[in-house]
Amino acid sequence: MAVTAKPGSLFRHRSFFLLWSSQSVSFLGTQITYVALPLTAVLVLDATAMESGLVGALEKLPFLLFGLFVGVFVDRRARRPILIWTNAVRFAALAWIPFAYMLDMLTMGQLFLVVFVVGTMTVFFEIAYPSYVPGLVGRERLMEANGKLQVSESVAEVAGPGTAGVLISALSAPVVILLDAVSYAFSALTLLKLPADEAPHAPKDDREAPSVWASVREGFSVIKQHALLCWCTVAAVFTSLFFSAVMAVYFLFLIKEAKVGAAEIGVITAVGSAGALCGALVADRLTLRLGVGPTLILSLAFPALGYLVLASVQGNSFGAVATAAVASFVALFGIPVFDVTVISFRQAVTPDHVLGRVNATVRTFAWGALSVGSLLGGALGTALGLRQAVLVSAIGLFVPSLILLLSPARRVRRLDEAAQAAAEPQSPEPSLHLDK
């Protein structure tokens, strides 16, 4: 795949513009389904609490089941066809829901199956997609590319749920899911226009290929041997763990402890989403001004500070709602800054032939931590109370920032420095390695 580095904005880069367009439409569709799918289960199929929980669990389960093996697959295949076919399958699976609903034959079993299939295809897409981007735009423009894509996702997170609510009121939840299906079809057709790529590490003879487990271990070893990559992965896992713990009790805390009403929760959520959008908009500028390492450290401090303030909110007064809104803005501002920076960092330091496996390994650990974090948040809320659960989780969110502060990552200023540093093997004492 030829990379055509052009001056000016990446929007003038035809291939990136096509990728950005397809993803922007898909992001909005995904946010609409985020609301419409559980409402279909509850309002149309009269789902129980356990069935509603299964819908959410089946969406994340494929990453834990298949993530590491999909990384091996992605590294042995061209990435663009994977992106196209996964979107085509997601279109077909989601389109079944409104089709079956209109024929009055939709069941919970079908909904479970659709969610699992879509989740499985998402595993393939989410591992192949960041592995394809570096070859498309060039590693020197990764921050700009990831920043623009993150902005689109954040805009969708702001606009999607509200749009979904209006559409569901007018059309019904199952029919609205058709919009997400169409977004995947649009994305697949748009991706057909992107330049073809080649498999980065495809053996000429299948008999010469290492075993799947050997390939999986290679992905682990790349992270283990590269000090900077290792520390960033550890930080990402702790961030997922404690962020998920907060979110597990977030709405219960606002309702039961802070005594905030439904309308005020809508305001707080909207302000928090605006914080995420602002973070996505300034991520690349912060990295240019502060450097990669300091940006990673600072971005992880924002969620901790925000939720620490949130734990103090009580009473349904204007001041309490304003404090909760500001706290959510600060907390969610840091997440996309970290995501944009750490994804660009990982893409820059990882050799192309193992990028799929490294992405798969990091995401499998992170998604596993999300699941454990939800259980942790629920356990803390049950044992200590909702306010204490938020407080403990907020304190825990300082851990990843502290990890990177004490690691060699704090000295990295540019992505090219990170790539050079990652090429050096990790020493027995990783906290001292490269700390010159």
Side-chain angles (χ1 to χ4, degrees), residues 39 65 80 102 106 112 128 156 173 176 180 197 222 237 242 244 248 254 299 301 312 327 348 356 375 389 422 431 436:
L39 288 181
L65 292 178
R80 189 188 70 141
M102 287 185 286
L106 183 64
F112 289 153
V176 168
D180 192 16
D197 62 327
V222 169
V237 168
F242 290 110
S244 183
L254 289 176
S299 66
S312 68
L375 297 175
S431 63
K436 299 176 182 177

Side-chain angles (χ1 to χ4, degrees), residues 90-276:
R90 288 193 285 188
F91 158 72
L94 285 172
W96 174 257
I97 294 177
F99 177 75
Y101 170 73
M102 287 185 286
L103 294 179
D104 196 25
M105 56 185 290
L106 183 64
T107 65
M108 278 304 302
Q110 293 172 20
L111 197 67
F112 289 153
L113 180 60
V114 168
V115 170
F116 186 77
V117 169
V118 171
T120 301
M121 292 301 100
T122 299
V123 174
F124 280 87
F125 190 93
E126 290 296 324
I127 292 174
Y129 160 58
S131 303
Y132 178 77
V133 170
L136 185 72
V137 303
R139 293 181 184 253
E140 70 280 358
R141 306 199 73 174
L142 285 173
M143 282 298 306
E144 182 184 358
N146 289 322
K148 285 178 166 52
L149 290 165
Q150 184 66 55
V151 167
S152 294
E153 185 171 3
S154 297
V155 169
E157 289 172 353
V158 173
T163 303
V166 173
L167 292 173
I168 290 169
S169 298
L171 302 174
S172 81
V175 174
V176 168
I177 291 175
L178 183 60
L179 294 176
D180 192 16
V182 171
S183 77
Y184 285 125
F186 172 83
S187 182
L189 292 173
T190 303
L191 292 172
L192 283 170
K193 300 178 182 179
L194 290 179
D197 62 327
E198 298 179 357
H201 189 57
K204 297 179 181 179
D205 189 336
D206 288 340
R207 291 172 297 181
E208 299 177 0
S211 69
V212 171
W213 281 111
S215 296
V216 168
R217 286 196 298 271
E218 186 178 0
F220 276 104
S221 67
V222 169
I223 295 173
K224 181 180 178 182
Q225 293 172 7
H226 291 171
L228 301 175
L229 201 56
C230 182
W231 284 115
C232 284
T233 301
V234 171
V237 168
F238 274 101
T239 300
S240 296
L241 177 70
F242 290 110
F243 181 78
S244 183
V246 172
M247 295 312 296
V249 298
Y250 179 76
F251 291 106
L252 282 174
F253 168 79
L254 289 176
I255 294 169
K256 294 186 176 182
E257 288 288 330
K259 309 298 183 183
V260 173
E264 289 82 1
I265 287 176
V267 173
I268 294 168
T269 303
V271 173
S273 298

Side-chain angles (χ1 to χ4, degrees), residues 17 101 111 125 145 170 208 221 244 259 265 273 277-278 288 295 339 346 374-375 380-381 399 415:
F17 182 76
Y101 170 73
L111 197 67
F125 190 93
E208 299 177 0
S221 67
S244 183
K259 309 298 183 183
I265 287 176
S273 298
L277 175 59
C278 290
L288 287 173
T295 299
D339 286 345
R346 189 163 65 243
S374 294
L375 297 175
L380 289 172
V399 171
L415 290 179

